Amino acid sequence: LPLSVDDLNESDKDYMNGINFFRDLPNKEEEFGAIDMPFTTPGAAGQEVPLSSTYHRINLSNRDQYVQSALEYRLHEFDFQVQAVVEGLAKVIPVPLLSLFTGEELRTMVCGHPDIPLDMLKSVAVYKGVEYSSALVQWFWEILETFSRARDHSSCDLCGVEHDYHAT
């Protein structure tokens, strides 16, 4: 689903307050002239992103273009990254089926069930190029045993799961 201005209003209120400030300024050149702002918008990483090669400062005559350009930039700032995530998810779950699942169900499908007992995981693990009795494998299982249950199943930060990474 494409993002909308309503999505920005919900997820980035501070940004939208700034955009709405320019949109709602009175149509008076003297009030607008007192504002000396570049025709840029802050990117998610904090850098200033130029929105036009034509305009360099926001003024009354280009205000609507500024608001539209800033919204377009913000709505599509992460298109490349979102597409990469969708392509990755598509390797696990067919894209048309994504909308059929809740966020929790998708997390479980991608990250695994958080309550898989370590003993069961050990019993079904398949080793390629290394033996169960090797020091490396034994060290791996010893390390996993020190992690909390939240870390036992995966490291799925992408899914927005909060983990307790402290050893128990």
Side-chain angles (χ1 to χ4, degrees):
L1 293 172
L3 295 176
S4 70
V5 173
D6 290 337
D7 295 317
L8 283 179
N9 278 320
E10 283 187 34
S11 65
D12 202 346
K13 290 183 190 314
D14 290 338
Y15 185 80
M16 289 305 297
N17 285 340
I19 294 299
N20 292 336
F21 170 80
F22 284 106
R23 184 196 68 202
D24 297 338
L25 271 174
N27 288 329
K28 296 179 182 174
E29 189 63 50
E30 61 274 3
E31 289 184 35
F32 226 97
I35 299 170
D36 185 28
M37 296 288 295
F39 205 90
T40 63
T41 193
Q47 81 285 11
E48 285 298 313
V49 178
L51 297 173
S52 171
S53 59
T54 305
Y55 303 118
H56 301 289
R57 312 300 292 168
I58 303 169
N59 58 45
L60 186 59
S61 64
N62 67 21
R63 156 179 60 184
D64 292 338
Q65 178 66 35
Y66 171 77
V67 168
Q68 185 62 34
S69 297
L71 290 173
E72 277 298 305
Y73 175 79
R74 194 57 145 225
L75 287 169
H76 299 286
E77 184 174 10
F78 298 106
D79 285 356
F80 179 78
Q81 291 85 349
V82 168
Q83 185 58 36
V85 170
V86 169
E87 288 173 12
L89 280 174
K91 294 180 186 295
V92 179
I93 304 158
V95 173
L97 298 180
L98 287 176
S99 63
L100 300 176
F101 300 102
T102 66
E104 181 64 23
E105 290 168 330
L106 286 172
R107 186 198 67 74
T108 300
M109 283 190 266
V110 173
C111 302
H113 198 282
D115 294 324
I116 297 174
L118 194 56
D119 289 338
M120 183 169 68
L121 187 58
K122 278 184 187 181
S123 72
V124 297
V126 176
Y127 304 94
K128 293 183 180 179
V130 67
E131 296 294 322
Y132 173 77
S133 59
S134 76
L136 180 64
V137 171
Q138 295 307 307
W139 176 72
F140 171 77
W141 290 116
E142 286 173 21
I143 296 295
L144 278 185
E145 287 171 0
T146 65
F147 293 152
S148 68
R149 286 178 42 167
R151 178 96 188 243
D152 287 345
H153 76 283
S154 72
S155 179
C156 197
D157 294 304
L158 177 65
C159 299
V161 177
E162 291 185 22
H163 295 291
D164 175 9
Y165 288 119
H166 302 289
T168 55

